[in-house]
Amino acid sequence: MIGGLFIYNHKGEVLISRVYRDDIGRNAVDAFRVNVIHARQQVRSPVTNIARTSFFHVKRSNIWLAAVTKQNVNAAMVFEFLYKMCDVMTAYFGKISEENIKNNFVLIYELLDEILDFGYPQNSETGALKTFITQTGIKSQSKEEQSQITSQVTGQIGWRREGIKYRRNELFLDVLESVNLLMSPQGQVLSAHVSGRVVMKSYLSGMPECKFGMNDKIVIDKQGKGGEGATGQSIAIDDCTFHQCVRLSKFDAERSISFIPPDGECELMRYRTTKDIILPFRVIPLVREVGRTKLEVKVVIKSNFKPSLLAQKIEVRIPTPLNTSGVQVICMKGKAKYKASENAIVWKIKRMAGMKESQISAEIELLPTNDKKKWARPPISMNFEVPFAPSGLKVRYLKVFEPKLNYSDHDVIKWVRYIGRSGIYETRC
Amino acid sequence: MEWANQLCENRQFGSKMTDSKYFTTTKKGEIFELKAELNSDKKEKKKEAVKKVIASMTVGKDVSALFPDVVNCMQTDNLELKKLVYLYLMNYAKSQPDMAIMAVNTFVKDCEDANPLIRALAVRTMGCIRVDKITEYLCEPLRKCLKDEDPYVRKTAAVCVAKLHDINAQLVEDQGFLDTLKDLISDSNPMVVANAVAALSEIAESHPNSNLLDLNPQSINKLLTALNECTEWGQIFILDCLANYTPRDDRESQSICERVTPRLSHANSAVVLSAVKVLMKFMEMLPKDLDYYSTLLKKLAPPLVTLLSAEPELQYVALRNINLIVQKRPEILKHEMKVFFVKYNDPIYVKLEKLDIMIRLASQANIAQVLAELKEYATEVDVDFVRKAVRAIGRCAIKVEQSAERCVSTLLDLIQTKVNYVVQEAIVVIKDIFRKYPNKYESVIATLCENLDSLDEPEARAAMIWIVGEYAERIDNADELLESFLEGFHDESTQVQLQLLTAIVKLFLKKPTETQELVQQVLSLATQDSDNPDLRDRGYIYWRLLSTDPVAAKEVVLAEKPLISEETDLIEPTLLEELICHIGTLASVYHKPPSAFVEGSRGVMHKRLPARTGSGESTESPDVGTAAGGSAPEAAPSIIPSQGDLLGDLLNLDMAPPTTSGPPPPTTGMQMGGMDLLGGGLDSLLGGDIGGSPAMGAGFGAAPAVMPASLNAPVGGGLGDLFDLGGVGMPMGAYIPPKIVWLPAMKAKGLEISGTFARRAGVIQMELILTNKAMSVMTDFAIQFNRNSFGLAPAGPLQVLTPLGPNQTIEVSLPLSTVGPVMKMDPLNNLQVAVKNNIDVFYFSCQYPISMLFVEDGKMERQVFLATWKDIPNDNESQFQIKDCHLNSDAASSKLQGSNIFTIAKRTVEGQDMLYMSIKLSNGIWVLAELRVQAGNSNYTMTTIRRSGSSQKMLTFFTCAACTLTSLCCCMDLMLSQYNT
């Protein structure tokens, strides 16, 4: 298991060092600094083996988190733990920075003691941790409180405590999708997929039993057989993963999503689709090399969704060669600028309705170079936000049952919102 | 100082915001000041001081001098302060064991505290203090905590047992904590179960002898129930533990799979990967024609693809694992090529791994897409990535024949870019394409030659020289080209020098008239002016060949080369199987068995996939063979791996610096001719020491100077001997040792057991004679084996159907299987047996001849033998003398064959018969042996080498290689001498 955990600043100074196992010596701290942080060449793997000791590292801004071990540990678990550790720290004191870590080092040690025992990750849900690891020092707890804490930390529903009360029972569902595209210059889709998340913010009393339904093809088809006509279209979900509150065996057996949600915000589900994706924009590039010192670029973007909807925060990034000396840009809509520091023309449009088209053309002057290497022509990338789910996912229902308290499904105020964002949305040119 | 300013600002908000001040640089006398503060009456000041101490500790300053003062602060109601002191204690207790004792009282007291959080904290911390005296005091509180009413305390105590075991294993056993821990597996709280499983798994790993994790269907059921309820981490512990279980039959295997599959939808990638591990392992047991089997295959693909949308570090771990899965079961991801396309902003480590998988998945169906992508990648910036992409294009050409032409033209396009490293890489792969498809693409040679000057890397230069030499007859100015390289001969790397030597000899053999001068020049450069023994040796060989028999030289040097295999980088199957059992772990990331990077006893146990059971034992379904990664059965006979071929070495195909090779065993057909020729030439040259194997050298030295004439005709003589024997190579029965008494009647209340082992028709039999020397009737016989080195286990019940009356004797034959649990025994072939009857249970141990384990299909292909012999490192080699054996080589060979020791080849050198033999053990270990029989000498010399795992990396099934070999040779010794008498 994990033998030790170190946190370094960008200079390689140790901010936190916690050793769990006897086989990890103090020299491990230095070994990582010398061989990874100060390495002359950029390290080419997140797992490094130095003298039979393995180091796993992740970086958050300029802070290095490293887990060390001498055993054949579960590598996926170590990384998941490091991410979790980052989440927990963020939940406690905000951004992970050298300053914040130094300011909270006692707290971090306390957390590390709790969530990693002898290198074995323990319950690391912030909801539970915050009940007994507090920054304000220990409150005097009554006997009931204590046993409530321990039963929550070890319990089956470790993510929710009992006795939560709200005057207004309310819940918010956000369907957040990022649509990824790689398109060839000829407009052929090389790969496209949507990775989506359903984020739920709930303010519900008691221990509410929830059931979530969407237009999942498998479910709709099943019901369709029963005679009930399917409303609207259904989508084929390639794969989905759930927050640990969702009963997986139930999903596996009947494909129904039922759970008791944690209080507040949680990511209920992640999913991925690859079929029948609505690509909100198409980018049509045209790059022409005029002699050795000039490039002509013309890019057309077309929006491809209902005219009544508006896309926002549109940004097209057209890469330019390193030896660019000057750029002239003409665009019909929005603003375009050549950013020398980023080697790109950045074209921004605030809003654009569906089924519209816009164009930019640019002349790029090049400095003559004797560099033999050809310009690699990075792809044109795009950013945007649209008010629908490109995968076509629709929330059909979210039912809430709380048998012990006297509120019913109808009393809960529910909000649903769809946001489609660009992930890596690239067109090669 | 910025911090200082902050400090002032933060003062007003109380102490919690200002912890960073403790990191400020220290002045002299700081320790002194701290001491004073620690002993202050004010609680706040005390706490501040402890924080400063911890901060200094973190940055690596030695603050152990403050030990007594810090420990004094331990008795406090303030939990935060207490935790800080504990942290300090864990760090320094070891260096100050005597003072650490001062803390014991507080610990013991805290373990009784009303607050479960404090009880758990105390027991957790105590376990981290590695001081013997403290450990003694830990036992009682730990015992209590293991049975605490609060689950939080119990789950902490469970881990504490593992801690204690790490400090003092004996103590844990003596105190009976292991049993308590086992009980916790049935705990009502899932997190306690998970931690108990984790602790037990760890203890069991460092303790292979104990039967700790006694997994049976009942306990498995408990684990599967807890799996649905515990935290994500607990699920990982349980799944990893489940993966160690071997289901009894395919039905049990299926039911476990069904209950594990829901985990594939978990948000935690580690849970998913561990579930994949369990499924991949248990799938082995399912019959392939089962509907469920194909359903399961379909279910595995989506979660694996989803792993690729995780954070880059996890993607890396996932990709390394997918690489293994694709090799083991290519059908799972064969339609998912697109998801492995490289994204522009992927980190380099993800890019390189994706590329690897793309090549593995490349097939005729998707090759166009793959090529288009690879071409795109070849224009990227990262040099390593571009190189790999270019190489990948070449590999596609070799793998998918239909695409070869397109690949070659793509490579030519890339060469036109004139980017130096792209050109070099392209030339290296084109050389391989030439070898795979001879006489097909030579038209591109002209283009290649244009780039001769830009090549500066040895590998590319060597490849180009090979091409020029190989196709010298088609290149008009081949002599000029090669001559230009010759100018700086001594500055070249060995690889290039060797290649150049061979290329010029080839050229000479093809165009003898114009190049005589050139060849003499290179031969003298290689033999006289070089310090490199390999180069010199090769130079001499060529020289002698050319001067004695040019025709033979032509046959050797211009011989038809064996084709290269499609995938040289596939992981060796036994290693692959082991790695599949380690999915998700570091081993799967490194692609190395745990023993390669883990110290000590942990991880030495090798894991294996379970054997397929059930009725549906079918041959590989057709879609597997033809699928992407495939092992290409259709191409099998003519192809030998390009890396390990001895012949290649001598025939100039080595692109890597040559290693000193072992003795070359004979090969077939025309190649054999080549060998003999070389051997003859060499003998006089090198004084008979061909291979540098010490054994051989010694053998030659001892050989009598004058040989009887008849022995110089080895084949004829051998045949004669064969006929003399009458057996004409017919395999004789296997060696069966005589029965001996294993269990005397005195020790077993009147039951006497004697017996032996035999291998009959591929089945290992334990032949027992049970004699009842008591006065009463014996009934209800049953037999059981302890875990043993080769997993021997009774394949059925002990067939004693009738009661055994007084003074009655019964002979029973018990068939054995080799799929039982494995544990290393000492001596290796020791077997501990328990026999039960209506009176009592009796234990005895016996030793089985290791030859029982030699399986019938142990005859290795000659080619494979050849390559393997060379690849096995010298460390795995041992030598033995077999004394007083008066058999000749052929008789010995046929006798040994009776016990499944197969002679692969025979060779006679100076009157000594060398038999090359292969043996395969039931657990898949291969043993290769060389038996040297010298006529007129009754002592045999035997050199054995052992191969079990990959050809390059040794998989040590047992910690010491010699063990197997020693017992093996003892056994052969016995067999041979037995035939003798």
Side-chain angles (χ1 to χ4, degrees):
Chain A
M1 280 304 115
I2 299 174
L5 205 135
F6 309 128
I7 301 179
Y8 300 85
N9 64 9
H10 67 288
K11 283 184 267 179
E13 294 165 351
V14 209
L15 305 177
I16 298 287
S17 111
R18 176 77 163 88
V19 175
Y20 293 94
R21 297 272 173 147
D22 204 37
D23 54 5
I24 302 299
R26 182 83 206 174
N27 52 356
V29 184
D30 303 321
F32 182 78
R33 175 183 26 247
V34 172
N35 290 291
V36 180
I37 302 182
H38 291 170
R40 214 166 284 162
Q41 280 186 323
Q42 192 199 347
V43 175
R44 303 210 135 202
S45 155
V47 185
T48 328
N49 192 319
I50 307 161
R52 288 195 152 228
T53 309
S54 300
F55 294 82
F56 300 77
H57 73 265
V58 298
K59 234 184 140 183
R60 289 286 181 271
S61 59
N62 52 16
I63 296 294
W64 299 75
L65 276 90
V68 198
T69 183
K70 282 207 162 185
Q71 298 174 26
N72 181 29
V73 298
N74 187 323
M77 185 187 79
V78 176
F79 280 124
E80 282 285 1
F81 177 79
L82 287 175
Y83 302 142
K84 194 66 167 205
M85 179 75 206
C86 293
D87 290 349
V88 172
M89 289 198 290
T90 317
Y92 266 98
F93 51 75
K95 196 172 162 270
I96 295 176
S97 64
E98 180 173 352
E99 197 185 315
N100 277 344
I101 287 176
K102 281 182 167 169
N103 275 331
N104 293 285
F105 84 97
V106 174
L107 170 76
I108 294 173
Y109 277 124
E110 204 176 330
L111 285 169
L112 280 176
D113 198 41
E114 185 57 44
I115 60 178
L116 208 54
D117 191 3
F118 200 42
Y120 288 108
Q122 304 292 307
N123 193 341
S124 43
E125 286 300 311
T126 22
L129 288 172
K130 279 193 171 170
T131 57
F132 67 107
I133 294 182
T134 51
Q135 283 174 288
T136 48
I138 204 78
K139 288 175 287 185
S140 62
Q141 296 150 325
S142 73
K143 187 121 178 138
E144 292 82 69
E145 276 174 327
Q146 286 165 5
S147 69
Q148 206 178 8
I149 288 169
T150 60
S151 81
Q152 200 203 334
V153 177
T154 62
Q156 294 181 19
I157 307 167
W159 52 86
R160 190 179 180 96
R161 64 189 167 87
E162 294 208 31
I164 297 171
K165 276 211 177 78
Y166 288 103
R167 252 203 332 198
R168 208 159 92 127
N169 288 301
E170 204 170 10
L171 68 86
F172 301 84
L173 272 182
D174 282 349
V175 176
L176 307 171
E177 294 196 340
S178 85
V179 50
N180 297 276
L181 169 76
L182 185 62
M183 197 177 249
S184 76
Q186 292 76 33
Q188 192 190 0
V189 177
L190 293 174
S191 74
H193 74 269
V194 168
S195 54
R197 306 186 296 146
V198 178
V199 175
M200 175 171 172
K201 232 182 253 176
S202 65
Y203 305 100
L204 301 171
S205 313
M207 290 298 230
E209 186 67 47
C210 300
K211 205 172 163 187
F212 174 66
M214 56 188 173
N215 57 340
D216 176 1
K217 197 166 179 193
I218 296 176
V219 176
I220 304 261
D221 287 355
K222 233 190 244 171
Q223 289 173 348
K225 270 180 216 155
E228 197 182 312
T231 50
Q233 277 164 338
S234 58
I235 60 159
I237 292 178
D238 285 32
D239 188 37
C240 44
T241 59
F242 296 99
H243 185 265
Q244 59 168 322
C245 66
V246 176
R247 296 185 187 93
L248 293 180
S249 33
K250 208 157 180 187
F251 176 74
D252 194 57
E254 355 172 333
R255 227 176 153 86
S256 74
I257 303 165
S258 62
F259 53 95
I260 297 174
D263 193 37
E265 190 173 316
C266 84
E267 187 182 283
L268 183 64
M269 156 181 188
R270 268 177 193 244
Y271 57 93
R272 182 169 49 82
T273 71
T274 47
K275 290 197 189 71
D276 304 322
I277 294 169
I278 309 157
L279 294 170
F281 285 95
R282 236 199 97 179
V283 178
I284 304 154
L286 198 76
V287 181
R288 210 160 64 92
E289 289 178 37
V290 187
R292 294 196 57 192
T293 54
K294 204 166 144 192
L295 274 180
E296 280 181 10
V297 180
K298 198 174 103 178
V299 176
V300 180
I301 60 168
K302 281 184 180 171
S303 59
N304 176 34
F305 44 88
K306 268 192 242 162
S308 57
L309 297 175
L310 274 180
Q312 287 184 311
K313 300 178 191 165
I314 300 151
E315 187 186 292
V316 182
R317 185 172 286 264
I318 305 160
T320 56
L322 294 173
N323 55 337
T324 302
S325 59
V327 176
Q328 274 106 48
V329 207
I330 311 159
C331 56
M332 293 162 23
K333 221 177 158 199
K335 280 178 190 163
K337 230 189 215 166
Y338 166 62
K339 293 198 173 163
S341 58
E342 295 166 35
N343 285 311
I345 300 168
V346 179
W347 176 25
K348 285 183 178 168
I349 305 170
K350 273 195 186 131
R351 260 174 234 100
M352 187 164 169
M355 306 317 267
K356 287 268 165 48
E357 189 177 311
S358 192
Q359 183 184 334
I360 183 172
S361 45
E363 270 186 29
I364 303 169
E365 306 275 341
L366 301 177
L367 289 171
T369 58
N370 41 13
D371 191 4
K372 265 197 208 153
K373 217 165 112 188
K374 246 178 60 187
W375 175 47
R377 283 208 190 179
I380 295 174
S381 60
M382 207 181 158
N383 288 316
F384 53 80
E385 202 178 291
V386 287
F388 61 90
S391 70
L393 182 128
K394 291 259 160 33
V395 175
R396 288 172 58 223
Y397 57 81
L398 199 149
K399 293 177 193 151
V400 181
F401 311 96
E402 167 55 48
K404 284 185 199 150
L405 299 174
N406 56 347
Y407 69 93
S408 74
D409 187 38
H410 300 290
D411 304 329
V412 180
I413 307 159
K414 301 168 190 169
W415 307 84
V416 183
R417 177 167 65 158
Y418 299 91
I419 301 172
R421 290 200 183 97
S422 52
I424 294 160
Y425 203 85
E426 293 178 336
T427 307
R428 288 184 179 155
C429 57
Chain B
M1 284 288 313
E2 214 177 313
W3 288 0
N5 296 338
Q6 241 177 17
L7 197 144
C8 299
E9 265 174 51
N10 287 337
R11 263 278 131 88
Q12 303 146 15
F13 301 109
S15 66
K16 69 181 164 96
M17 292 300 289
T18 61
D19 287 351
S20 65
K21 68 172 183 279
Y22 306 115
F23 284 87
T24 45
T25 48
T26 44
K27 307 153 289 222
K28 265 189 188 167
E30 186 205 26
I31 298 270
F32 227 65
E33 266 174 44
L34 279 173
K35 214 177 180 94
E37 283 175 46
L38 283 170
N39 291 319
S40 149
D41 297 333
K42 284 181 197 148
K43 265 190 188 166
E44 263 317 294
K45 209 161 191 185
K46 252 189 191 175
K47 200 162 116 187
E48 295 288 288
V50 177
K51 279 186 184 177
K52 277 185 206 163
V53 172
I54 300 288
S56 313
M57 196 174 83
T58 299
V59 258
K61 265 180 248 163
D62 185 15
V63 280
S64 58
L66 295 166
F67 201 91
D69 310 281
V70 177
V71 172
N72 271 339
C73 304
M74 193 169 159
Q75 277 191 350
T76 168
D77 304 331
N78 187 322
L79 198 56
E80 196 188 3
L81 179 56
K82 192 171 240 158
K83 282 181 177 172
L84 287 173
V85 177
Y86 281 178
L87 192 64
Y88 179 90
L89 263 174
M90 286 186 263
N91 254 301
Y92 287 114
K94 225 168 136 191
S95 56
Q96 311 251 351
D98 294 332
M99 292 219 248
I101 283 295
M102 290 160 46
V104 164
N105 261 336
T106 322
F107 278 127
V108 175
K109 214 178 86 198
D110 280 358
C111 286
E112 307 272 322
D113 198 284
N115 187 340
L117 291 171
I118 293 192
R119 291 203 296 277
L121 178 66
V123 81
R124 185 166 66 210
T125 315
M126 252 178 122
C128 295
I129 297 176
R130 305 177 65 92
V131 175
D132 282 341
K133 282 179 194 155
I134 291 207
T135 314
E136 281 167 33
Y137 288 99
L138 175 58
C139 291
E140 276 323 298
L142 178 57
R143 199 186 313 282
K144 260 183 221 157
C145 288
L146 280 167
K147 302 222 160 102
D148 200 286
E149 52 169 18
D150 195 294
Y152 182 78
V153 181
R154 289 203 300 279
K155 71 115 187 160
T156 312
V159 176
C160 190
V161 177
K163 292 178 187 167
L164 188 58
H165 186 270
D166 194 38
I167 304 170
N168 190 343
Q170 197 55 46
L171 186 71
V172 171
E173 277 171 46
D174 295 347
Q175 296 278 337
F177 285 136
L178 293 181
D179 294 324
T180 325
L181 201 53
K182 277 191 214 166
D183 294 342
L184 288 184
I185 290 195
S186 317
D187 199 280
S188 57
N189 185 295
M191 197 159 170
V192 178
V193 179
N195 276 5
V197 166
L200 273 175
S201 302
E202 179 168 343
I203 295 172
E205 206 176 296
S206 63
H207 226 282
N209 297 352
S210 62
N211 196 16
L212 260 182
L213 263 172
D214 177 29
L215 294 175
N216 51 48
Q218 289 77 42
S219 57
I220 290 291
N221 196 27
K222 276 177 205 155
L223 292 185
L224 286 168
T225 312
L227 186 62
N228 287 327
E229 292 165 354
C230 61
T231 62
E232 43 193 334
W233 313 115
Q235 295 185 18
I236 299 168
F237 305 153
I238 292 179
L239 286 168
D240 284 350
C241 172
L242 270 180
N244 290 326
Y245 176 64
T246 311
R248 287 179 308 180
D249 52 26
D250 49 338
R251 206 169 298 160
E252 190 187 3
S253 172
Q254 178 175 347
S255 86
I256 297 176
C257 287
E258 276 164 0
R259 292 176 73 178
V260 167
T261 25
R263 296 300 121 198
L264 294 175
S265 310
H266 203 285
N268 187 313
S269 308
V271 175
V272 176
L273 267 177
S274 291
V276 168
K277 165 164 61 190
V278 174
L279 295 174
M280 282 292 285
K281 207 179 156 188
F282 289 8
M283 246 168 114
E284 283 292 304
M285 294 188 66
L286 299 177
K288 286 197 171 175
D289 46 5
L290 199 69
D291 282 345
Y292 182 70
Y293 179 82
S294 41
T295 319
L296 200 54
L297 278 182
K298 270 185 219 131
K299 276 193 176 171
L300 276 171
L304 287 174
V305 174
T306 299
L307 290 177
L308 297 185
S309 47
E311 288 84 347
E313 291 88 359
L314 266 175
Q315 271 187 57
Y316 174 72
V317 173
L319 285 164
R320 293 292 284 175
N321 280 288
I322 289 172
N323 199 327
L324 297 173
I325 293 168
V326 162
Q327 288 183 58
K328 179 75 191 159
R329 296 192 179 278
E331 63 272 33
I332 294 179
L333 287 168
K334 66 178 171 194
H335 299 303
E336 304 288 349
M337 173 60 94
K338 275 189 182 178
V339 298
F340 298 104
F341 284 178
V342 170
K343 289 184 198 137
Y344 190 71
N345 53 354
D346 278 336
I348 182 68
Y349 51 83
V350 169
K351 282 185 177 175
L352 292 172
E353 291 307 316
K354 280 188 173 173
L355 200 52
D356 241 7
I357 294 169
M358 277 173 71
I359 302 164
R360 294 211 195 285
L361 288 177
S363 68
Q364 205 183 334
N366 54 25
I367 193 75
Q369 256 185 334
V370 173
L371 266 183
E373 279 297 305
L374 291 176
K375 202 174 168 184
E376 198 72 44
Y377 304 160
T379 60
E380 286 228 24
V381 263
D382 191 286
V383 178
D384 281 349
F385 181 61
V386 171
R387 281 172 178 278
K388 201 164 180 175
V390 175
R391 210 162 265 229
I393 297 175
R395 274 167 67 185
C396 284
I398 291 168
K399 200 173 165 192
V400 186
E401 190 162 357
Q402 293 81 358
S403 74
E405 197 153 344
R406 241 179 308 173
C407 294
V408 172
S409 76
T410 310
L411 286 171
L412 283 179
D413 286 353
L414 290 172
I415 290 178
Q416 298 302 349
T417 62
K418 303 275 178 205
V419 177
N420 189 285
Y421 52 86
V422 174
V423 173
Q424 309 210 37
E425 207 63 44
I427 286 179
V428 172
V429 293
I430 285 181
K431 176 212 69 190
D432 285 340
I433 297 177
F434 282 169
R435 280 198 57 196
K436 169 82 184 180
Y437 309 108
N439 305 319
K440 221 167 164 189
Y441 300 109
E442 282 74 11
S443 53
V444 306
I445 290 175
T447 324
L448 301 186
C449 289
E450 287 164 19
N451 294 288
L452 215 58
D453 302 332
S454 64
L455 308 179
D456 51 11
E457 290 160 23
E459 204 184 351
R461 283 175 85 86
M464 193 63 219
I465 293 169
W466 183 87
I467 293 172
V468 173
E470 188 65 21
Y471 299 102
E473 67 273 25
R474 306 186 194 195
I475 306 171
D476 295 335
N477 59 344
D479 48 344
E480 283 168 38
L481 293 176
L482 291 177
E483 200 171 359
S484 68
F485 281 105
L486 206 55
E487 281 159 21
F489 189 76
H490 288 297
D491 303 328
E492 300 281 4
S493 72
T494 314
Q495 193 184 2
V496 179
Q497 289 177 337
L498 285 168
Q499 209 47 254
L500 194 53
L501 170 62
T502 306
I504 292 179
V505 171
K506 279 191 204 164
L507 174 70
F508 171 70
L509 288 168
K510 287 175 179 174
K511 300 181 182 172
T513 44
E514 308 123 68
T515 54
Q516 207 152 4
E517 202 177 309
L518 193 63
V519 81
Q520 274 182 347
Q521 201 182 340
V522 78
L523 285 175
S524 83
L525 277 172
T527 52
Q528 281 153 31
D529 302 342
S530 170
D531 296 332
N532 186 323
D534 290 326
L535 187 64
R536 246 178 10 224
D537 287 357
R538 190 182 286 188
Y540 278 125
I541 292 174
Y542 285 141
W543 204 326
R544 280 194 81 91
L545 262 175
L546 292 174
S547 57
T548 49
D549 189 351
V551 181
K554 214 164 187 168
E555 271 176 30
V556 173
V557 179
L558 302 180
E560 202 170 307
K561 279 154 288 292
L563 294 177
I564 58 168
S565 63
E566 316 197 337
E567 301 231 13
T568 48
D569 59 341
L570 281 179
I571 294 175
E572 210 268 341
T574 38
L575 176 60
L576 182 62
E577 291 215 343
E578 189 183 356
L579 292 179
I580 289 286
C581 300
H582 287 292
I583 284 177
T585 68
L586 263 181
S588 71
V589 173
Y590 293 145
H591 288 186
K592 283 178 190 163
S595 50
F597 59 91
V598 175
E599 283 166 2
S601 64
R602 278 178 213 278
V604 172
M605 274 283 285
H606 282 246
K607 295 186 179 176
R608 296 179 65 198
L609 289 176
R612 195 175 297 268
T613 60
S615 52
E617 180 117 10
S618 56
T619 46
E620 294 276 296
S621 60
D623 64 310
V624 183
T626 49
S631 45
E634 69 277 358
S638 60
I639 284 173
I640 60 172
S642 65
Q643 298 157 332
D645 61 1
L646 261 178
L647 269 173
D649 217 313
L650 283 154
L651 292 178
N652 72 47
L653 294 169
D654 54 336
M655 286 330 223
T659 49
T660 39
S661 53
T667 51
T668 48
M670 98 128 271
Q671 296 159 350
M672 178 130 169
M675 298 296 298
D676 278 350
L677 223 143
L678 292 181
L682 271 172
D683 287 346
S684 51
L685 210 92
L686 301 173
D689 194 350
I690 296 184
S693 137
M696 239 177 134
F700 278 114
V706 185
M707 298 284 169
S710 66
L711 284 171
N712 270 336
V715 182
L719 269 176
D721 289 343
L722 261 173
F723 285 117
D724 285 349
L725 276 165
V728 199
M730 283 290 286
M732 310 188 179
Y735 164 66
I736 302 167
K739 289 199 172 75
I740 50 166
V741 175
W742 282 333
L743 183 69
M746 282 165 61
K747 283 193 181 166
K749 301 189 179 162
L751 176 68
E752 189 190 74
I753 299 178
S754 57
T756 186
F757 292 86
R759 188 180 181 92
R760 297 187 203 278
V763 179
I764 306 170
Q765 307 267 9
M766 186 182 197
E767 303 191 338
L768 299 161
I769 297 177
L770 310 176
T771 311
N772 184 353
K773 295 196 171 171
M775 299 305 288
S776 55
V777 177
M778 295 179 178
T779 54
D780 302 328
F781 284 94
I783 193 164
Q784 217 166 17
F785 294 173
N786 193 2
R787 293 200 281 179
N788 53 70
S789 320
F790 292 91
L792 283 177
L798 193 62
Q799 298 283 350
V800 186
L801 301 172
T802 49
L804 195 61
N807 274 329
Q808 246 186 323
T809 297
I810 189 171
E811 282 200 44
V812 199
S813 168
L814 177 73
L816 306 182
S817 69
T818 53
V819 294
V822 174
M823 180 174 76
K824 201 197 139 194
M825 301 296 291
D826 193 21
L828 204 60
N829 56 345
N830 196 17
L831 180 68
Q832 296 177 338
V833 184
V835 170
K836 197 187 86 172
N837 61 11
N838 57 334
I839 297 167
D840 204 344
V841 183
F842 311 106
Y843 301 92
F844 64 90
S845 68
C846 53
Q847 292 184 7
Y848 47 90
I850 209 126
S851 64
M852 293 301 107
L853 302 161
F854 300 168
V855 295
E856 277 68 24
D857 63 347
K859 187 156 187 161
M860 209 179 232
E861 283 282 337
R862 281 183 169 218
Q863 301 279 27
V864 182
F865 185 91
L866 197 92
T868 318
W869 184 280
K870 193 192 150 196
D871 274 351
I872 297 175
N874 289 343
D875 306 356
N876 296 358
E877 190 175 290
S878 0
Q879 267 192 53
F880 303 90
Q881 289 276 342
I882 300 170
K883 295 240 160 67
D884 294 331
C885 190
H886 298 284
L887 291 167
N888 67 16
S889 60
D890 296 279
S893 151
S894 67
K895 280 183 175 167
L896 290 173
Q897 180 152 5
S899 294
N900 295 336
I901 301 167
F902 299 95
T903 306
I904 305 298
K906 183 184 153 178
R907 196 157 71 110
T908 307
V909 179
E910 299 195 346
Q912 276 196 331
D913 285 343
M914 324 267 261
L915 296 176
Y916 292 94
M917 297 181 296
S918 75
I919 300 160
K920 189 184 172 192
L921 289 164
S922 57
N923 56 1
I925 292 183
W926 282 93
V927 180
L928 308 187
E930 179 195 63
L931 185 67
R932 210 165 317 126
V933 183
Q934 198 175 309
N937 190 340
S938 61
N939 292 351
Y940 288 15
T941 307
M942 166 126 175
T943 311
T944 46
I945 56 175
R946 211 170 50 89
R947 179 190 82 151
S948 55
S950 84
S951 43
Q952 305 111 14
K953 301 268 178 318
M954 265 304 298
L955 263 180
T956 41
F957 186 83
F958 297 109
T959 29
C960 60
C963 266
T964 332
L965 293 175
T966 320
S967 54
L968 176 70
C969 283
C970 290
C971 148
M972 299 214 12
D973 200 346
L974 222 124
M975 259 188 288
L976 286 169
S977 53
Q978 206 229 343
Y979 285 127
N980 233 355
T981 49

